[in-house]
Amino acid sequence: KQEVTQIPAALSVPEGENLVLNCSFTDSAIYNLQWFRQDPGKGLTSLLLIQSSQREQTSGRLNASLDKSSGRSTLYIAASQPGDSATYLCAETSGGGADGLTFGKGTHLIIQP
Amino acid sequence: GAVVSQHPSRVICKSGTSVKIECRSLDFQATTMFWYRQFPKQSLMLMATSNEGSKATYEQGVEKDKFLINHASLTLSTLTVTSAHPEDSSFYICSAKGYSRYNEQFFGPGTRLTVL
């Protein structure tokens, strides 16, 4: 059974700081990895998807990297804003994308105004 | 594009009743739909995978007779929680995958089930 681990479990930083969220996975046959945002009591918002053949993806202030050999991914958030406060989930899938996603437990992020 | 809806968004029921949750892909054909469950302060756990026209594949520990999944068309999958009990109270989220680039899954907004 594949595992996804996210560190830290919670993070609180002042507004404006750059920050990095970490994700590690055990699946050596990873097909793609996604980062999601989840607001309290809400569903998931997909942020970035990285295929196993890619090393990074960028969207606005977000940059996600993938190192398949070490089983690690990072989500970099630049110039953090209070609106970035949410839980960030990392998830991976294998089986050519036919399998369901294995999720980490998330990092609960608070950006202090 | 790639919008997935779920209905209802919230349901409260009495113990022993059955509840049906619908998951629809609104603008694409979903060859595969997935059902996940999220307990408070926990992450999402895959419950089952369903392909249109065939029986669902359940993850270990998920009772297929309790969580009935029907994927009758390329745009609709339903999850029925039979004889619900308070321990079934959870957030249920579906996702759908079609012929998209990277086989990406698109998630519905979730259904909050509370069993009294």
Side-chain angles (χ1 to χ4, degrees):
Chain A
K1 186 175 175 67
Q2 306 301 339
E3 291 186 1
V4 176
T5 304
Q6 290 188 246
I7 295 174
L11 181 64
S12 180
V13 301
E15 177 179 5
E17 284 199 5
N18 303 324
L19 57 99
V20 175
L21 307 181
N22 296 291
C23 171
S24 61
F25 51 91
T26 60
D27 190 354
S28 60
I30 183 173
Y31 178 74
N32 65 42
L33 183 140
Q34 282 184 265
W35 283 92
F36 296 88
R37 168 187 173 137
Q38 185 174 32
D39 293 286
K42 303 294 185 182
L44 304 180
T45 300
S46 180
L47 299 174
L48 290 165
L49 181 151
I50 312 176
Q51 273 228 301
S52 59
S53 58
Q54 299 171 326
R55 293 194 64 85
E56 66 177 346
Q57 285 285 338
T58 298
S59 175
R61 294 182 295 108
L62 305 179
N63 175 279
S65 68
L66 176 65
D67 185 340
K68 186 178 174 181
S69 62
S70 67
R72 296 176 187 271
S73 175
T74 61
L75 179 68
Y76 175 82
I77 302 177
S80 58
Q81 305 170 357
D84 295 331
S85 297
T87 295
Y88 290 80
L89 296 167
C90 167
E92 64 92 11
T93 186
S94 54
D99 297 342
L101 289 166
T102 300
F103 282 83
K105 292 186 177 181
T107 294
H108 181 55
L109 176 64
I110 296 175
I111 307 299
Q112 307 154 7
Chain B
V3 178
V4 176
S5 69
Q6 273 185 249
H7 179 80
S9 59
R10 185 180 296 267
V11 58
I12 301 173
C13 68
K14 292 182 179 180
S15 184
T17 61
S18 293
V19 176
K20 180 183 285 189
I21 302 170
E22 291 186 349
C23 177
R24 293 181 184 273
S25 57
L26 299 185
D27 52 1
F28 68 101
Q29 292 185 325
T31 54
T32 306
M33 286 186 170
F34 304 88
W35 286 94
Y36 297 83
R37 179 169 55 184
Q38 184 179 34
F39 290 110
K41 299 192 183 301
Q42 298 295 315
S43 192
L44 281 78
M45 297 295 292
L46 179 66
M47 298 176 66
T49 301
S50 74
N51 294 296
E52 186 264 340
S54 60
K55 289 185 178 181
T57 302
Y58 291 80
E59 295 298 301
Q60 191 173 9
V62 177
E63 301 173 57
K64 61 181 180 181
D65 293 332
K66 182 170 186 62
F67 298 100
L68 301 179
I69 292 172
N70 185 300
H71 192 163
S73 76
L74 284 172
T75 59
L76 173 65
S77 175
T78 59
L79 168 67
T80 301
V81 183
T82 62
S83 187
H85 290 283
E87 58 266 29
D88 298 323
S89 298
S90 187
F91 193 52
Y92 292 86
I93 306 179
C94 72
S95 72
K97 180 176 74 69
Y99 298 106
S100 64
R101 187 177 63 164
Y102 306 141
N103 281 321
E104 185 173 0
Q105 294 180 31
F106 300 96
F107 282 80
T111 297
R112 173 76 58 192
L113 170 63
T114 303
V115 185
L116 302 176

